[in-house]
Amino acid sequence: MMQQSVITDKFGRALQDLRISVTDRCNFRCRYCMPREIFGKDFAFLPKEHLLTFEEIERLTKIFLQLGVRKVRLTGGEPLLRRDITTLIKRLAQLEGLQDIGLTTNAVLLGKMASDLKEAGLKRVNVSLDAIEDQTFMQINDSNVKTQPVINSIIKAKEVGLAVKVNMVVKKGMNEHQLLPMAKFFKELGITLRFIEFMDVGQTNGWNFEHVVTKKEIYEEISKRFDLEPVNPAYFGEVAKRYRYKGTDIEVGFITSVSESFCSSCTRARIAADGHFFTCLFAGEGLNVKDILRDGATDDEVKDTIVSGWKYRDDRYSDLRTEETAKNRKKIEMSYIGG
């Protein structure tokens, strides 16, 4: 059996989950994430040689598994844009000690890839969908994509046996009128919908508190139509506050990074598309693990670097967030660090 060691940070939080961004590119230009005026045709995305190779991702994952990680989620950008992504999933799925491998996607490409992804070993997908009404969705994604291709992909993913959750970022003035339609639609489909408070990730999304629709407000809106009852967390560090529709096993969740922060139970590390190691979604800088790998470091040397980075971790940005810190703190873009 693989030898395992649990490491904790300055606040006693164990390293358990790993998010790996496999690309900084996306086929959407969502207004709150990759606005087209910034991420336009002249934007310089990472060249291929700056991305971690599949071999490097596999090697890093093996090291993280030795440090207590049990779950891996592939992110982006849009991870399904990474060529031969199923090959990577197959390699990771075979690693000893990995209990769960998931992927976050806008699902435009998911339908035609779902069977291959499942066969490769993928267990679950989180689909980003911020509206069920075409006009609103197209205004958000700014890419002329309607909802039906995404819905078809969700249904296909479920049919092939992938666990599916849908994530809806809620922003005031953008899509709060879609709360009940989204809840009704996915309740009828029997798929978990999770509402995400609009967060100040990156520098380009124009965030301020006035744009946040809080969990309390969303809950009150959903409760006008449906009776909800709380569900206990499935594991320590679970991000979503879970509820279910009374009389069913269909759930809704609330991800409350702004109004009810969960820094105290954060167990997630992140590897960005170019191999930087981050200990917080709202980080300003990370540790360049890719260069360490490519400079010929041994596995033990890489492991020591990761252990050191986590042990000295004192991140709790969401606990401390103010309008001023959100405005003045330099933060990495979501499309680069992954969600």
Side-chain angles (χ1 to χ4, degrees), residues 20-23 47-61 74 82-85 87-88 91-92 271-275 290 293-294:
I20 305 171
S21 176
V22 296
T23 180
K48 182 180 177 181
E49 62 270 19
H50 286 202
L51 299 175
L52 286 175
T53 66
F54 288 174
E55 289 78 13
E56 289 167 338
I57 291 172
E58 181 181 5
R59 184 182 173 198
L60 272 177
T61 303
L74 302 179
R82 180 75 185 256
R83 187 174 179 180
D84 296 325
I85 188 71
T87 301
L88 174 63
R91 293 171 70 155
L92 296 182
I271 300 293
D274 67 350
K290 180 190 69 188
L293 291 174
R294 294 183 182 179

Side-chain angles (χ1 to χ4, degrees), residues 143-307:
S143 301
N144 204 35
V145 177
K146 295 183 177 181
T147 58
Q148 199 58 53
V150 178
I151 294 165
N152 291 344
S153 287
I154 289 170
I155 293 170
K156 178 66 174 178
K158 194 176 179 186
E159 284 176 351
V160 303
L162 290 168
V164 182
K165 293 178 182 175
V166 173
N167 290 340
M168 176 187 182
V169 173
V170 186
K171 179 182 175 184
K172 196 167 291 184
M174 179 179 82
N175 64 341
E176 68 266 48
H177 64 290
Q178 292 288 287
L179 290 171
L180 281 172
M182 286 281 286
K184 180 176 183 293
F185 185 87
F186 287 104
K187 178 177 182 291
E188 291 174 357
L189 267 189
I191 289 175
T192 297
L193 172 64
R194 305 193 302 181
F195 302 103
I196 302 177
E197 293 177 344
F198 177 48
M199 294 182 289
D200 52 322
V201 180
Q203 303 291 114
T204 62
N205 68 1
W207 185 91
N208 65 53
F209 278 109
E210 294 176 3
H211 293 151
V212 177
V213 184
T214 65
K215 177 238 179 172
K216 181 176 183 291
E217 293 171 311
I218 299 170
Y219 180 91
E220 288 173 352
E221 182 69 14
I222 301 303
S223 296
K224 291 177 182 177
R225 177 73 178 271
F226 303 105
D227 289 331
L228 301 178
E229 57 186 7
V231 177
N232 291 329
Y235 54 89
F236 180 82
E238 185 171 29
V239 168
K241 294 174 170 65
R242 298 164 58 201
Y243 294 78
R244 64 175 160 240
Y245 300 102
K246 280 188 180 177
T248 78
D249 59 359
I250 303 165
E251 293 190 12
V252 292
F254 300 85
I255 298 176
T256 60
S257 174
V258 179
S259 69
E260 301 174 21
S261 67
F262 39 82
C263 296
S264 63
S265 60
C266 178
T267 59
R268 288 169 299 284
R270 290 175 166 83
I271 300 293
D274 67 350
H276 278 71
F277 168 46
F278 291 91
T279 56
C280 180
L281 180 60
F282 302 97
E285 55 186 39
L287 183 64
N288 191 337
V289 179
K290 180 190 69 188
D291 280 0
I292 296 172
L293 291 174
R294 294 183 182 179
D295 285 345
T298 66
D299 284 359
D300 283 342
E301 288 170 338
V302 176
K303 186 189 296 186
D304 288 345
T305 299
I306 293 168
V307 167

